[in-house]
Amino acid sequence: MKKKRVPIKRRFQLIVTGILIVSFVVTGALSLFGMLFIRDRGAEALVTVDNQNLANIVYDRALLADVEFDNYKKLVQNYAACLNKIFKNPENYKPKEVQPYDPKDPDIAGKYMLQIAYTRKMDESSGEKQRIDRQVAYVANLEDQMEISMTSKDSDILTTYCAFEDGFMVSFDNMPEALPADQIFDFSESEWFTEMRMRQEVFFTDVYEDSFGRGLTITCEAPVYDKNDRYTGVICVDILISDVYSSIVSLNIGEGAYAMLVDSMGNLISADGESKNISELGLVAEEIEAVESGSKGVFLSQSGDYFASAHMESTGWTLLIKAPQELIQKPVRNMESGIWISIMVFVAILIVLLLIIMIVVRRFTNSFTAPLLALREDVKTISSGNLDHRIQAVNNDEVGDLAESFNDMASSLDKYIKDYISLNKEQERLSAELSIAEDIQRSMLPTDFDISDSIKIYATMTPAKEMGGDFYDYFRIDDDHIGIVIADVSGKGVPAAMFMVVARTLIKIRTTAPGTPADVLYDVNNTLCRENASNQFVTVWFAILTESTGELICANAGHEYPALRHKGGAYELLMTDNMPPLATVEELEFVDVKYSLRDGDSLFLYTDGVLEAKNSQKGRFGSDRMLNMLNRDIDASPETILKDMISEIDSFVGEMEQFDDITMMSIVFSI
């Protein structure tokens, strides 16, 4: 099946485009994988960072609240220390008159001032009122400190007051109208007063609703002692929870997120006074326990909100921040959105780049293949037979080199064809002459095998080339004698054939004179030696048969031993004296050997081409295989013997080329 043709231009475009597409796909896949990997890892990292930030915020806020509440403690302790000094060393202080509240004073509203209240109406006749007023005058020395602390810009103190077991209270705030007009305010059973009597230490009260309706309040208290170090009263600072929220707790970390305080009982301390328990936030038991333990940490509740809590050492409370899951994961959503936008932009850029590169590749391939297409047309012109056409090399590159090579090829091909035509004519002439010479050579070999009734003879000669150096001959010398010869000239081709003609002619001429085969070979050898400028030689087996007696006299000049079979027997080699070939050494004396032949005897003559025939395994045909073949059908005719021998040799050789002339002669005697 013919393979589908794909032009080189198309193939180049497909290869380059394929490589680019694969490169872009691999790059895009790796980039996409990297972006998605960054998205996943980034999402985890962002959530972790947000959780850590939330934990840090709640911790920092709780720490700030502790600092603020510690400042309240220090302030109250400072007030208590001052009162202790006043009570222990009153002589070091001047009594300070406390102006009573005048509701008619137009400037009184919002003014910070000292106020006095009593748990009961004091008896002036007993001097009790005077004694208490004197103590009040000494306590009034704290007014300046109280005013500085409460009127500073960052102060969240609502009211500062001190109450004593003697039944009076001195307060400093900007709501003097809050006290009763008769200045009677029985605080003796108030929780903040009685608790200090029992504890006598600095502490914060639980959150309570301010009795003057100002909202949820927390009080920091410190004990006051007289000159005998006996407990005598308490100094207090009130702070509104709403102020605590606005200055410490409130935060702005995102929509839906807010902070809250949780007391040690699990109650939410709300800035608006609303009472709730932590269980109302939708937390499960384990989550409530995590909040109440006050341990720093962040967790995602089952309700889907993030909670962060931190313990406040100063009050025993917990600062709790609640943030919606959407707020914490908003950076993740933003990052994912940004990554998807980046992916789409990246893909769009890849597509645009791919289109641009495909256009560039197309133009490049056009510029690259245009010279090749022009070269193809020029080559077609040359291949059509116009060898005078020349390709115009435009570019000085490999294509230009190829064009020059085609031009050189066309020139060489033109010269070769002309030389070939001339040589072919010469070869045709030589071939014709060789054919004539071959015909002449074959015509010199006898083909009429009916030479005599006393012998049946058949012979073949198969040259390795057009002309061979082997020859055979049989001829009548006189009425009673027949000459039989087979020979093999050294070499092949025309020289061997010419030498064969000379040798055959000399032998045939010499037999016209009296002499035995040895005499004939002696004279022919001397003649050939004198005229052998080409240093060739020839092996010859020559015999003379006397028909009337059946006597066969033969002489061997370096030729293969013939095979003789007597009637009723088998073929055997005639191992006679074998002298050197003719044309090698002058004055050689050859030996005659005589045989008596009977009716039915057979003689097989051959050249070395039979024995030297080789197969593909380099094996020789050899004399044993030849004798076996001859003895396979001992009664066969001479023609059948030679045809069977040729078939056996061909079967043995197979596809191997014949490298030597093969000549055979078979004779059956009828004497």
Side-chain angles (χ1 to χ4, degrees), residues 156-374:
D156 292 328
I157 299 174
L158 180 64
T159 302
T160 302
Y161 53 94
C162 50
F164 299 92
E165 294 290 343
D166 289 340
F168 70 95
M169 181 178 73
V170 178
S171 65
F172 184 81
D173 58 24
N174 60 351
M175 293 181 63
E177 70 278 6
L179 289 175
D182 58 0
Q183 296 182 308
I184 301 301
F185 176 65
D186 188 4
F187 56 83
S188 60
E189 298 301 325
S190 296
E191 185 176 354
W192 55 268
F193 187 75
T194 58
E195 187 175 2
M196 177 55 74
R197 184 185 297 143
M198 292 184 296
R199 297 179 61 172
Q200 295 187 21
E201 62 180 359
V202 180
F203 67 91
F204 283 95
T205 65
D206 292 333
V207 177
Y208 60 92
E209 184 69 35
D210 180 59
S211 57
F212 300 107
R214 291 177 292 185
L216 288 180
T217 306
I218 185 173
T219 300
C220 182
E221 303 182 12
V224 179
Y225 299 94
D226 61 12
K227 62 181 179 179
N228 297 318
D229 291 330
R230 290 178 301 184
Y231 173 74
T232 186
V234 58
I235 177 74
C236 302
V237 173
D238 289 347
I239 306 103
L240 280 176
I241 294 299
S242 59
D243 291 337
V244 173
Y245 266 87
S246 62
S247 62
I248 300 174
V249 179
S250 64
L251 71 163
N252 183 20
I253 60 174
E255 184 178 357
Y258 58 90
M260 62 197 83
L261 295 172
V262 181
D263 65 16
S264 58
M265 302 300 293
N267 297 314
L268 295 177
I269 303 172
S270 174
D272 56 9
E274 185 179 358
S275 177
K276 286 185 179 180
N277 190 272
I278 191 173
S279 60
E280 298 180 45
L281 295 177
L283 302 176
V284 298
E286 293 81 1
E287 296 168 347
I288 293 175
E289 183 179 353
V291 173
E292 290 180 344
S293 66
S295 59
K296 176 187 174 185
V298 179
F299 61 87
L300 178 63
S301 70
Q302 292 187 1
S303 63
D305 294 320
Y306 280 91
F307 286 88
S309 62
H311 187 65
M312 297 169 55
E313 296 292 339
S314 58
T315 60
W317 297 348
T318 298
L319 178 61
L320 182 65
I321 294 179
K322 177 182 178 182
Q325 186 175 355
E326 293 78 10
L327 177 64
I328 298 299
Q329 295 188 350
K330 184 177 180 180
V332 176
R333 302 287 183 267
N334 293 338
M335 181 196 69
E336 290 179 344
S337 176
I339 288 178
W340 281 115
I341 292 174
S342 300
I343 290 174
M344 288 187 288
V345 171
F346 179 74
V347 171
I349 292 174
L350 284 182
I351 293 174
V352 172
L353 286 177
L354 183 60
L355 292 175
I356 293 174
I357 292 176
M358 289 178 66
I359 294 173
V360 173
V361 168
R362 185 178 182 86
R363 291 186 176 180
F364 172 74
T365 52
N366 288 338
S367 64
F368 177 76
T369 56
L372 291 176
L373 295 176

Side-chain angles (χ1 to χ4, degrees), residues 6-27:
V6 181
I8 187 172
K9 174 181 177 180
R10 179 64 175 167
R11 191 181 307 167
F12 186 82
Q13 289 177 344
L14 290 175
I15 291 174
V16 175
T17 304
I19 292 174
L20 290 174
I21 291 176
V22 170
S23 301
F24 279 132
V25 169
V26 172
T27 303

